[in-house]
Amino acid sequence: MAAQLLEEKLTCAICLGLYQDPVTLPCGHNFCGACIRDWWDRCGKACPECREPFPDGAELRRNVALSGVLEVVRAGPARDPGPDPGPGPGPAARCPRHGRPLELFCRTEGRCVCSVCTVRECRVHERALLDAERLKREAQLRASLEVTQQQATQAEGQLLELHKQSSQIQNSACILASWVSGKFSSLLQALEIQHTAALRSIEVAKTQALAQARDEEQRLRGHLEAVARHGCRIRELLEQVDEQTFLQESQLLQPPGPLGPLTPLQWDEDQQLGDLKQLLSRLCGLLLEEGSHPGAPAKPVDLAPVDYRNLTFDPVSANRHFYLSRQDQQVKHCRQSRGPGGPGSFELWQVQCAQSFQAGHHYWEVRASDHSVTLGVSYPQLPRCRLGPHTDNIGRGPCSWGLCVQEDSLQAWHNGEAQRLPGVSGRLLGMDLDLASGCLTFYSLEPQTQPLYTFHALFNQPLTPVFWLLEGRTLTLCHQPGAVFPPGPQEEVLS
């Protein structure tokens, strides 16, 4: 079981095989070097997983650590080569003053001396045999190395905690900004000034907190580099054969200073929302009771079987790498092409449904085999061809809205702007389109039902469900006439 999980983690998302010469993109995703270059030749310089563009002028770098893991996995368990015999004895050094072999170490003057030196210059000095002095210095250096290793472990732990806090701040800031936008969208136009000011305050607070996090990260990384250099120098000295060089250079070696505590990041959700809550409470009292802000625990969504739609994929629109099955209810992205695409097919890795909606309230569900898929709706003029560096165009312009499901996060896209959201573990997703109220809501249905994101817009044209999926992924349109559905506004009032 563990070997299978390890093999899955070492699998390239493009060729679906173990990494070959793995490289890492700036976004953190890994691919085979040949696979990503071939991908870019066909689809443009963007990450196939998260679609983040690859910076112009940047170079692919080999992932050394991942390559080492792959070598171990392919080679299997290796034999213990046994202890290193170490370097052989070097030539005996001689005293530069008297030409005799250096036999002792003068602790008073901090240098190696010969027998003549001990009689003439170092008679009353504290002396020790070279091997005894080396054993003492080695013990001191090993103790210092242990301390530096402990500091490195402490710094790495603090760095992980700092990254965790930074991620929480990023998610919290996105949720706060989305919540503020939803509140102000329901108010009069006169509140737009307050809306903009609230978002700016959140952005400034987030920027300041993340700037503090970057400073702390720079400090920790600097300490890690100093510790690494110190440890490397100690190892070099421990391998030094020449006694004089070892003793003289070891006494000059200074360990890095102590690592201070991690500075708490200045981020307070309650402070960001305090003034805004008071303002909205005085003006309209919109849902500001306890637990309504985005940081509160999500309440379970009560779903009822209303307006469920059984949809099918449109074969004419399917990309040439898409294969439809189950009476056009399922689509799979395969490397092998079906042949040249038709005049109505997407040049991008996309497919749309055969049905569209112009009025009313509609709900449908989709099951994805894995992450790296996008769900959305679009107007009829959504381009079929590729217009930019991205591998999809759902949410890239004003005529479409989409939710991109990634491995560790979600992104809500519209008009070229993205809202980053926390990831979900489930693969069963629901879409609720209320054309009368101008709301498009995405739901995660596994392991429990929870709303993910809601778009608010004045939909003035027919909307068609549209999907993007990465190679190897499968999407299935669920046909469940008795499926649950969120209650409409009138039902909520009656309840």
Side-chain angles (χ1 to χ4, degrees):
M1 184 64 179
Q4 182 179 0
L5 292 175
L6 178 60
E7 185 173 352
E8 291 177 359
K9 292 296 183 181
L10 299 177
T11 298
C12 175
I14 298 178
C15 65
L16 303 181
L18 288 180
Y19 290 117
Q20 297 289 337
D21 297 325
V23 296
T24 302
L25 303 188
C27 60
H29 292 111
N30 300 294
F31 304 94
C32 300
C35 291
I36 192 62
R37 293 184 180 92
D38 179 67
W39 174 285
W40 286 348
D41 290 339
R42 295 183 287 113
C43 305
K45 285 195 172 183
C47 176
E49 291 275 3
C50 65
R51 300 177 292 168
E52 178 178 324
F54 188 79
D56 293 334
E59 296 181 0
L60 285 174
R61 293 187 179 274
R62 180 169 174 262
N63 192 321
V64 178
L66 190 56
S67 299
V69 173
L70 289 165
E71 291 177 2
V72 173
V73 171
R74 293 190 175 99
R79 293 182 178 178
D80 185 3
D84 186 1
R94 294 187 173 272
C95 177
R97 298 181 182 182
H98 309 107
R100 292 179 176 274
L102 296 174
E103 301 171 343
L104 300 171
F105 181 76
C106 178
R107 292 176 177 172
T108 304
E109 296 187 3
R111 64 183 180 91
C112 298
V113 295
C114 66
S115 58
V116 177
C117 293
T118 61
V119 175
R120 295 181 180 179
E121 292 96 353
C122 305
R123 177 179 302 175
V124 295
H125 294 173
E126 182 182 0
R127 293 159 292 172
L129 294 174
L130 289 181
D131 55 353
E133 184 66 18
R134 170 149 190 160
L135 289 175
K136 176 183 177 182
R137 295 291 182 90
E138 284 181 350
Q140 293 174 348
L141 290 178
R142 288 192 175 91
S144 177
L145 179 61
E146 183 178 355
V147 172
T148 56
Q149 289 174 344
Q150 292 175 354
Q151 291 183 353
T153 302
Q154 181 184 3
E156 290 171 353
Q158 292 186 3
L159 192 59
L160 289 176
E161 178 64 23
L162 182 66
H163 287 169
K164 180 181 178 181
Q165 293 182 17
S166 299
S167 177
Q168 291 174 347
I169 290 174
Q170 287 276 15
N171 294 335
S172 177
C174 290
I175 294 172
L176 284 176
S178 176
W179 181 84
V180 170
S181 297
K183 293 299 180 183
F184 276 96
S185 64
S186 63
L187 299 177
L188 299 174
Q189 187 176 2
L191 292 177
E192 284 298 323
I193 297 177
Q194 295 294 335
H195 176 196
T196 304
L199 290 180
R200 186 184 300 114
S201 175
I202 292 174
E203 187 65 24
V204 169
K206 181 193 76 172
T207 302
Q208 293 175 349
L210 293 181
Q212 183 186 6
R214 286 191 293 271
D215 292 341
E216 281 294 285
E217 180 177 359
Q218 185 176 4
R219 179 181 70 85
L220 291 173
R221 290 192 180 279
H223 190 82
L224 280 174
E225 292 175 0
V227 168
R229 290 193 300 269
H230 185 69
C232 181
R233 182 56 183 152
I234 288 178
R235 295 184 183 92
E236 291 175 357
L237 286 176
L238 292 174
E239 295 176 359
Q240 176 60 249
V241 177
D242 185 79
E243 312 300 15
Q244 180 180 5
T245 302
F246 170 82
L247 295 173
Q248 289 178 349
E249 293 186 4
S250 64
Q251 67 185 359
L252 300 177
L253 187 63
Q254 295 294 331
L259 177 66
L262 183 65
T263 303
L265 302 183
Q266 300 301 317
W267 176 259
D268 188 351
E269 287 187 5
D270 293 333
Q271 180 180 358
Q272 294 296 320
L273 291 176
D275 295 338
L276 179 62
K277 282 187 175 183
Q278 294 179 5
L279 173 65
L280 294 181
S281 179
R282 289 195 305 267
L283 294 176
C284 56
L286 286 180
L287 304 177
L288 291 176
E289 66 274 9
E290 182 180 359
S292 65
H293 66 83
K299 297 179 180 179
V301 180
D302 186 17
L303 301 177
V306 179
D307 296 330
Y308 190 93
R309 305 304 178 201
N310 286 339
L311 305 180
T312 57
F313 293 111
D314 179 15
V316 176
S317 68
N319 177 271
R320 60 193 183 95
H321 290 276
F322 285 6
Y323 289 79
L324 272 60
S325 60
R326 297 187 183 179
Q327 298 180 343
D328 296 337
Q329 289 179 233
Q330 187 175 88
V331 61
K332 183 175 183 180
H333 184 171
C334 301
R335 173 176 293 186
Q336 184 67 32
S337 170
R338 295 182 287 105
S345 65
F346 281 102
E347 179 183 327
L348 302 152
W349 293 343
Q350 295 178 186
V351 63
Q352 70 179 24
C353 284
Q355 298 79 18
S356 62
F357 309 109
Q358 191 166 5
H361 202 163
H362 311 278
Y363 175 79
W364 61 95
E365 295 177 356
V366 178
R367 181 173 292 278
S369 62
D370 206 342
H371 58 82
S372 300
V373 298
T374 300
L375 322 176
V377 295
S378 72
Y379 288 153
Q381 63 266 31
L382 183 68
R384 294 295 195 267
C385 59
R386 181 173 180 170
L387 301 178
H390 303 289
T391 56
D392 77 297
N393 59 7
I394 304 175
R396 305 293 181 178
C399 66
S400 59
W401 297 258
L403 184 75
C404 177
V405 180
Q406 301 176 4
E407 182 177 7
D408 56 354
S409 66
L410 303 172
Q411 288 185 353
W413 281 89
H414 174 61
N415 203 21
E417 297 182 355
Q419 286 277 0
R420 189 177 180 86
L421 308 168
V424 294
S425 58
R427 295 288 176 249
L428 182 61
L429 302 167
M431 298 178 64
D432 172 24
L433 176 61
D434 189 348
L435 292 163
S437 61
C439 294
L440 172 64
T441 303
F442 295 86
Y443 290 89
S444 172
L445 306 177
E446 291 180 345
Q448 62 183 7
T449 302
Q450 60 176 324
L452 301 177
Y453 191 81
T454 298
F455 288 104
H456 298 274
L458 182 62
F459 301 119
N460 53 20
Q461 298 183 48
L463 289 171
T464 303
V466 61
F467 308 90
W468 174 93
L469 55 157
L470 188 66
E471 182 178 323
R473 304 315 193 247
T474 300
L475 282 179
T476 303
L477 293 169
C478 301
H479 283 197
Q480 299 176 4
V484 291
F485 182 76
Q490 294 182 355
E491 293 173 323
E492 291 180 349
V493 173
L494 293 176
S495 61

